[in-house]
Amino acid sequence: METWIDIPKNSDFSIHNIPFGIFSTKDSKKRVGTAIGDMILDLKLSSDLGVFDNLNFDFNVFENEHLNDFISLGKSITNNVRLIIQKELSDSSSALKNQSNLLIKQTDAEMHLPLKIGDYTDFYSSIEHATNIGSMFRDPSNPLLPNWKHIPVGYHGRASSIIVSGKNINRPKGQVLLPNQETPSFQASEKIDFELEMGFVIGKKSNLGESISTSEAEDYIFGKVLFNDWSARDIQKWEYVPLGPFLGKSFASSISPWVVPLEALDSFRVEGPDQNPKVLSYLECKGLNNYEINLEVAIEPDNSNESAVCSSNFKYMYWNMSQQLAHHTINGCNLNVGDLMASGTVSGKEKGSYGSMLELSWGGKKPVILDDGNSRVFINDNDTVIMRGYCEKNGKRVGFGEVRTKLLGSK
Ligand code: CA
């Protein structure tokens, strides 16, 4: 597939991608666009030219402030919108060509949170991550809890504090138990961390009481984003027993602005790791259910260049998205369009592939050296954490852009 748009080499937003997002410019309100190369194609203005006329839906969804109504049209429409965009951008006689107002430079636009997220769930599905955490805090000879290989472990997180890339956050305050103390102190967290994750967006609702099988699960997934599950390790450590993460997580989570449809990732499917012991039958899966997605994290200190600190891959995940959804709904819990499910920290086997500072610095014991000579055990004030992700195979590249968040000092 060739396009008449000039796409820079190694662009995440090739003609094979066609992600959806919400943008605005100084002249226009929030609206739906797709990223292509360094540009954004305005889908409302495209619809005004009649390119989607063969599809039966209300084009006003392209003027909404979130993607939810567009996604709710269902894959029979949204996949066809994507195919039409690809066809128009490939056709040198397209009605979209030579319409200067249709294509906006990404640098001239502001990106917004793409979804109205009703519910957010975070899983814990990387065996390497769970093993590292279990080794550090429990027993290195028996790091996984007895349930881990039987259940895609997860918890219900907070949706209201999910922010889009580019927004800054403040270092949160809370209760921490300082070393050699018996009672907690109230202070700014001293252990702010990132967690390298990917999120997937629910594209089809299910009814209360209904369960989704592993074979149906991908029909319910619209697409994927990069996800940074910001974590305050000292607050988390004091509060998490017995009910799990709470204020140590809910101060912020960041996502990338472009939702990459699952269909754009189809050629990057791979087999997942062997699951031993055998899972219960409702979690059994056939086919290629993992995805090969290169993931990277960099830290950019204030007034310095960024340093890569982690290189991982989504293919390492022990539990795949279909199993996560089958498990999530096996008790009849219903899903809504725009719900977000995050994978859990994506760590690999090698040290440089660990997806959090907690693991990279092994609990703060081994500082990570940055390119400018400075070191980090956790994230400092005014550091920007940048996550990137892309798939690449046979010259075809589909990427997620980045999620970039600066940590400011506490208020
Ligand atoms: Ca997490």
Side-chain angles (χ1 to χ4, degrees), residues 65 180 395:
E65 295 196 346
N180 309 315

Side-chain angles (χ1 to χ4, degrees), residues 161 168-176 185-194 229-236 239 246-253 379-381 405-411:
S161 52
N168 300 334
I169 59 170
N170 285 95
R171 180 177 293 272
K173 292 176 186 159
Q175 282 199 26
V176 303
S185 306
F186 177 74
Q187 61 171 56
S189 167
E190 291 175 346
K191 296 183 176 177
I192 297 294
D193 200 356
F194 60 79
D229 180 19
W230 286 96
S231 303
R233 299 300 181 194
D234 40 5
I235 296 172
Q236 184 183 1
E239 73 177 3
F246 188 31
L247 306 184
K249 296 280 189 178
S250 63
F251 60 97
S253 319
I379 302 302
N380 287 9
D381 285 354
T405 312
K406 187 171 186 175
L407 174 69
L408 305 177
S410 71
K411 268 194 192 157

Side-chain angles (χ1 to χ4, degrees), residues 120 122-124 129 155 195 197 227 229 231 249 342 344-345:
Y120 150 55
D122 195 18
F123 287 94
Y124 188 60
H129 174 69
Y155 67 96
E195 287 189 343
E197 305 195 17
F227 189 91
D229 180 19
S231 303
K249 296 280 189 178
T345 308

Side-chain angles (χ1 to χ4, degrees), residues 44-58:
K44 179 61 174 81
L45 295 182
S46 302
S47 70
D48 290 345
L49 293 174
V51 294
F52 304 122
D53 280 2
N54 285 339
L55 301 176
N56 186 19
F57 69 99
D58 180 357

Side-chain angles (χ1 to χ4, degrees), residues 86-320:
Q86 284 178 325
K87 183 175 141 286
E88 293 293 332
L89 294 178
S90 307
D91 176 2
S92 55
S93 59
S94 168
L96 303 183
K97 212 177 165 184
N98 305 321
Q99 298 276 338
S100 59
N101 58 342
L102 282 183
L103 286 159
I104 298 102
K105 281 186 189 152
Q106 286 178 23
T107 48
D108 290 343
E110 183 183 352
M111 296 305 298
H112 302 276
L113 192 67
L115 304 154
K116 191 166 168 49
I117 302 166
D119 281 297
Y120 150 55
T121 301
D122 195 18
F123 287 94
Y124 188 60
S125 289
S126 150
I127 195 166
E128 289 82 5
H129 174 69
T131 300
N132 285 339
I133 300 302
S135 303
M136 254 183 270
F137 295 110
R138 285 183 302 270
D139 177 5
S141 61
N142 190 20
L144 295 177
L145 287 168
N147 62 3
W148 200 90
K149 287 187 168 179
H150 298 280
I151 289 177
V153 170
Y155 67 96
H156 290 118
R158 185 78 196 162
S160 66
S161 52
I162 299 177
I163 55 171
V164 74
S165 175
K167 299 262 185 256
N168 300 334
I169 59 170
N170 285 95
R171 180 177 293 272
K173 292 176 186 159
Q175 282 199 26
V176 303
L177 187 66
L178 295 171
N180 309 315
Q181 298 293 311
E182 281 174 9
T183 55
S185 306
F186 177 74
Q187 61 171 56
S189 167
E190 291 175 346
K191 296 183 176 177
I192 297 294
D193 200 356
F194 60 79
E195 287 189 343
L196 168 63
E197 305 195 17
M198 296 205 75
F200 67 86
V201 177
I202 298 301
K204 180 175 163 183
K205 80 186 284 267
S206 68
N207 297 317
L208 186 64
E210 196 175 284
S211 300
I212 297 166
S213 69
T214 53
S215 61
E216 301 164 317
E218 289 198 347
D219 293 343
Y220 289 80
I221 302 175
F222 176 74
K224 290 176 71 61
V225 291
L226 300 169
F227 189 91
N228 182 352
D229 180 19
W230 286 96
S231 303
R233 299 300 181 194
D234 40 5
I235 296 172
Q236 184 183 1
K237 191 179 180 189
W238 172 236
E239 73 177 3
Y240 87 102
V241 178
L243 289 186
F246 188 31
L247 306 184
K249 296 280 189 178
S250 63
F251 60 97
S253 319
S254 331
I255 63 170
S256 52
W258 295 106
V259 184
V260 175
L262 207 54
E263 289 66 25
L265 303 172
D266 204 46
S267 4
F268 307 100
R269 286 175 180 273
V270 288
E271 218 172 309
D274 274 346
Q275 294 184 322
N276 185 18
K278 198 163 153 355
V279 297
L280 289 173
S281 60
Y282 80 94
L283 291 170
E284 281 174 8
C285 253
K286 288 197 181 71
L288 305 177
N289 296 289
N290 279 37
Y291 291 84
E292 179 151 20
I293 306 172
N294 301 291
L295 297 170
E296 300 164 351
V297 186
I299 296 174
E300 184 182 272
D302 216 16
N303 301 316
S304 188
N305 294 326
E306 65 175 73
S307 298
V309 294
C310 160
S311 168
S312 187
N313 199 301
F314 190 68
K315 72 180 175 186
Y316 300 144
M317 299 311 286
Y318 188 87
W319 295 103
N320 61 54

